[in-house]
Amino acid sequence: MRAGAGALALLMAAGCSATSTDQDGDGPAAKAAITITPMDGARELPPELPITVGAVGGALKSVTVRAGGQPVTGVYSADHTQWRSDRPMAPGVSYSVTAVAAAPGGGTVQRSSAFTTKRGTTTFGIETLLPSKQDTGLTVGVGMPIMLTFDKKITDRVSVERNLFVQASKPVEGAWHWYDDRNVVFRPKEYWPPYTTVRFTARLSGVRGAEGMYGKQDYVRDFTIGRSQISQADTQTHYMKIRRDGKVIQNFPISAGMGGVWRHYTTSGVHLAMSREDVTVMTSPDAGPGDAGYYQTTVYDTVRISNSGEYVHGAPWSVGDQGNSNVSHGCINVSPSNAKWFLKNTLIGDPVIVRGTPRKLEPTNGWGHWQESWGDWLKWSRLRGDISQPL
């Protein structure tokens, strides 16, 4: 905020000003001036700058700004001595500004300005945005992150991140986390409060993503957090307790990864339900037909919890081991009837917490975003954490 105020002062000092009397015919006016930034007649302006208008010796009565004929919105300061556009200018656009100020002694002064921005060489947008209606449904679990993948590499992460807004009907503290130059994820510090309505807005139109590259459009996504359902699978006791809104509603006997080799341990940590599948064909990841350790198995009623092939699924062949032994290749085996219940009653984004194995879930394995502490999560945010805006 301090840096922004300093930049605003510099911009206004460099802007056009006018001192006039009674241009509207209302009688003698006290000396007044209007400053407009950018300057009148400027060309090839950097699009990422805002438009600012100030009144000296009076207060702004009106500010009208148009971009290619379309109105541009902005906000006044509390004393109406300053106006600032809501967002930066767009590339390759002609702007016009007309401002009217009232002087304390009566009368008005008017000032106009026109300028253009330079064109961008390319544009960027969002390639995938989750949650989505088709991939996750729009009612999701309390662990569900907001995940963006851009279609181009982003080098100006600050400009992009400051234009990503999260509104919620119940306040949450959260932050964005950049995994690389194309993927950024929002996660609350704690799980979402159940039954929260959320709106995500990406105001990217005209926003600088890299040198000469600007956002091509805005995006809005509304979704709802459902009831709280958190499953805790203990590979030592061989049971998985399922709590809904804090109350235990199921306690399934399970069989987890047999271990012996590293890939056959179930990963410990906070997983999220990533997909629900009626039928899944599982194939050994490191052995082909005829090789030792090769397998191909069709399983039913599956809930995916990682990218390394871990599911909660029905396993009729291991019912006798469920509740007493770990015999799987890494999945969480449950009975066919329990698998049907779990598939039906799970929302995408529901936490599935696994305990008791030496192999830890990596933060980049599927949606392992809750594996990072809040301090570590903030290290990869450009703007750090903040409270969600009210919805």
Side-chain angles (χ1 to χ4, degrees):
M1 291 292 290
R2 288 192 294 271
L8 177 62
L10 289 172
L11 288 169
M12 291 185 64
C16 295
S17 64
T19 300
S20 179
T21 58
D22 192 27
Q23 292 190 13
D24 290 341
D26 293 333
K31 187 176 181 181
I34 294 175
T35 62
I36 300 175
T37 302
M39 296 180 66
D40 185 30
R43 298 288 185 269
E44 295 293 303
L45 291 165
E48 55 265 25
L49 296 176
I51 299 170
T52 60
V53 180
V56 180
L60 294 168
K61 291 184 64 176
S62 65
V63 176
T64 302
V65 181
R66 292 191 172 274
Q70 299 300 312
V72 174
T73 59
V75 292
Y76 290 94
S77 61
D79 59 2
H80 265 240
T81 61
Q82 295 183 37
W83 181 95
R84 192 181 198 276
S85 57
D86 281 332
R87 57 198 306 169
M89 295 182 290
V93 175
S94 297
Y95 286 84
S96 64
V97 181
T98 301
V100 178
T108 59
V109 59
Q110 179 175 306
R111 183 71 180 180
S112 297
S113 182
F115 40 84
T116 61
T117 56
K118 64 181 179 182
R119 295 182 179 275
T121 56
T122 186
T123 60
F124 75 94
I126 294 176
E127 187 172 87
T128 59
L129 167 56
L130 297 176
S132 68
K133 183 177 180 180
Q134 62 273 24
D135 294 320
T136 65
L138 294 178
T139 298
V140 293
V142 296
M144 186 70 202
I146 303 173
M147 295 175 282
L148 311 181
T149 299
F150 296 102
D151 60 4
K152 303 277 192 350
K153 292 182 178 180
I154 303 299
T155 59
D156 191 348
R157 297 181 183 182
V158 172
S159 292
V160 171
E161 189 175 325
R162 68 172 13 140
N163 284 282
L164 305 178
F165 302 95
V166 178
Q167 297 170 273
S169 60
K170 300 177 183 178
V172 297
E173 181 180 358
W176 292 94
H177 180 293
W178 291 85
Y179 279 95
D180 54 39
D181 51 17
R182 291 188 59 199
N183 292 277
V184 63
V185 176
F186 178 89
R187 192 202 92 182
K189 183 178 181 180
E190 309 292 343
Y191 294 142
W192 294 97
Y195 312 110
T196 298
T197 301
V198 182
R199 170 169 292 172
F200 163 67
T201 304
R203 295 200 317 183
L204 296 179
S205 178
V207 169
R208 183 180 187 271
E211 183 65 32
M213 183 178 76
Y214 297 90
K216 57 188 173 185
Q217 69 180 80
D218 295 344
Y219 301 80
V220 178
R221 180 63 46 83
D222 293 327
F223 61 95
T224 301
I225 306 300
R227 77 290 173 273
S228 172
Q229 182 167 297
I230 301 173
S231 303
Q232 292 185 330
D234 192 319
T235 63
Q236 300 298 311
T237 66
H238 312 290
Y239 275 84
M240 181 169 70
K241 288 185 178 181
I242 301 171
R243 289 180 171 85
R244 182 173 296 173
D245 294 329
K247 181 181 178 181
V248 177
I249 59 170
Q250 295 284 0
N251 191 20
F252 292 159
I254 66 167
S255 179
M258 68 181 77
V261 294
W262 196 245
R263 68 181 181 274
H264 289 163
Y265 283 107
T266 306
T267 56
S268 286
V270 182
H271 306 69
L272 297 178
M274 299 171 59
S275 67
R276 296 178 300 237
E277 303 169 21
D278 293 329
V279 181
T280 303
V281 177
M282 296 186 175
T283 304
S284 51
D286 52 2
D291 296 334
Y294 172 77
Y295 63 86
Q296 185 177 79
T297 305
T298 300
V299 294
Y300 300 91
D301 302 314
T302 70
V303 175
R304 188 179 189 128
I305 60 172
S306 79
N307 273 350
S308 56
E310 294 171 305
Y311 291 78
V312 178
H313 67 80
W317 58 86
S318 71
V319 168
D321 296 299
Q322 294 165 21
N324 59 77
S325 303
N326 292 326
V327 298
S328 84
H329 289 101
C331 291
I332 297 175
N333 290 177
V334 295
S335 70
S337 60
N338 288 340
K340 289 182 180 296
W341 184 96
F342 195 69
L343 179 71
K344 180 180 178 181
N345 288 276
T346 293
L347 294 174
I348 303 302
D350 278 349
V352 179
I353 303 170
V354 179
R355 295 173 176 167
T357 79
R359 183 184 173 190
K360 303 301 180 184
L361 176 68
E362 306 88 348
T364 54
N365 185 352
W367 299 349
H369 309 304
W370 294 95
Q371 284 296 92
E372 294 192 74
S373 69
W374 186 239
D376 287 339
W377 185 262
L378 292 179
K379 290 178 182 178
W380 297 98
S381 171
R382 288 296 173 266
L383 303 180
R384 303 298 185 259
D386 201 358
I387 303 300
S388 62
Q389 301 175 13
L391 180 63

